[in-house]
Amino acid sequence: MAGDDVAETLAAMGPRLRAAREHRGATLTGVSCATGISPSTLSRIETGRRKPTLEVVLQLAKEYGVSLDELAGTAPAPAAERRAPVPLSFGDDKAVLPLTRYVGGLHAHKHVLPAVEEPPARPRQVSHDGYEWLCVLYGRLWLALGDQDLVLTAGDVAEFDTRAPHGVANAGSGGPVEYLIMFGPQGERLRPRTPPAPGR
């Protein structure tokens, strides 16, 4: 592998490690407790500010249940992954359906929040590196973005720097909420390519 290839592989490994952790629903603190690697070191590796050592990569691959080839981006997708992806469920009953096989850069998920019988509390907010684009497909989504509270309905789109505190919840009792997420873990953004208007 040429020097440039090695550098590109190491640069992409941080976001892949982050994606593997998030797909397991694990926190930096939880992974730190399981592996002995400090949360700050894990965060720096995930955001590309630190190159992981082979020992660290081996520990994390074992913890996340992924192969070194998957982390390096050299593994072919197995037949099971070429079929319809299996939704991931989290503790708040949210289901997440990966729409892309993560290989670095932007990746997409479909999220489904279940119906609620009572008005929810204000969503718990989190912040982390990255940039997010969100589009509501169905239902009413409560987006708490810093001090702002927005209720988005089908067709509404929001985009924001995920270093700002943010959280979501089902805003109404009319049924579930479905929405798409495009997420750039290192601040990658969508690039609109609109053709010029006729006559220009």
Side-chain angles (χ1 to χ4, degrees):
M1 184 179 286
D4 289 345
D5 292 335
V6 171
E8 289 179 6
T9 297
L10 289 174
M13 192 168 287
R16 290 193 186 106
L17 286 167
R18 178 176 187 161
R21 174 177 62 79
E22 291 178 342
H23 286 175
R24 291 181 66 86
T27 64
L28 289 174
T29 301
V31 174
S32 176
C33 291
T35 63
I37 305 168
S38 72
S40 61
T41 296
L42 291 168
S43 177
R44 287 196 296 271
I45 289 172
E46 288 186 357
T47 55
R49 297 195 298 268
R50 178 169 178 168
K51 293 179 181 178
T53 64
L54 178 59
E55 180 182 0
V56 166
V57 172
L58 288 171
Q59 281 183 279
L60 295 177
K62 182 178 180 181
E63 177 67 18
Y64 300 151
V66 297
S67 69
L68 293 180
D69 280 342
E70 288 175 286
L71 292 178
T74 57
E81 290 189 13
R82 292 194 291 268
R83 295 194 293 267
V86 177
L88 306 173
S89 295
F90 294 90
D92 57 3
D93 294 328
K94 175 173 70 176
V96 178
L97 181 70
L99 299 179
T100 54
R101 183 171 182 270
Y102 188 75
V103 291
L106 286 166
H107 56 284
H109 296 87
K110 178 180 177 182
H111 294 232
V112 181
L113 294 176
V116 293
E117 296 182 0
E118 299 179 358
R122 191 169 195 262
R124 180 179 65 86
Q125 294 182 308
V126 298
S127 60
H128 49 82
D129 290 335
Y131 198 85
E132 186 168 301
W133 178 90
L134 179 156
C135 176
V136 178
L137 301 175
Y138 176 83
R140 301 173 70 244
L141 182 72
W142 181 356
L143 171 62
L145 188 59
D147 295 330
Q148 299 181 51
D149 288 283
L150 306 169
V151 175
L152 308 177
T153 58
D156 287 341
V157 175
E159 59 177 317
F160 51 90
D161 188 321
T162 54
R163 290 175 296 183
H166 58 282
V168 297
N170 189 331
S173 58
V177 180
E178 298 183 12
Y179 58 101
L180 295 178
I181 292 278
M182 287 286 291
F183 176 65
Q186 294 184 309
E188 302 93 335
R189 302 190 185 189
L190 299 177
R191 295 188 297 274
R193 301 289 185 181
T194 305
R200 291 188 180 181

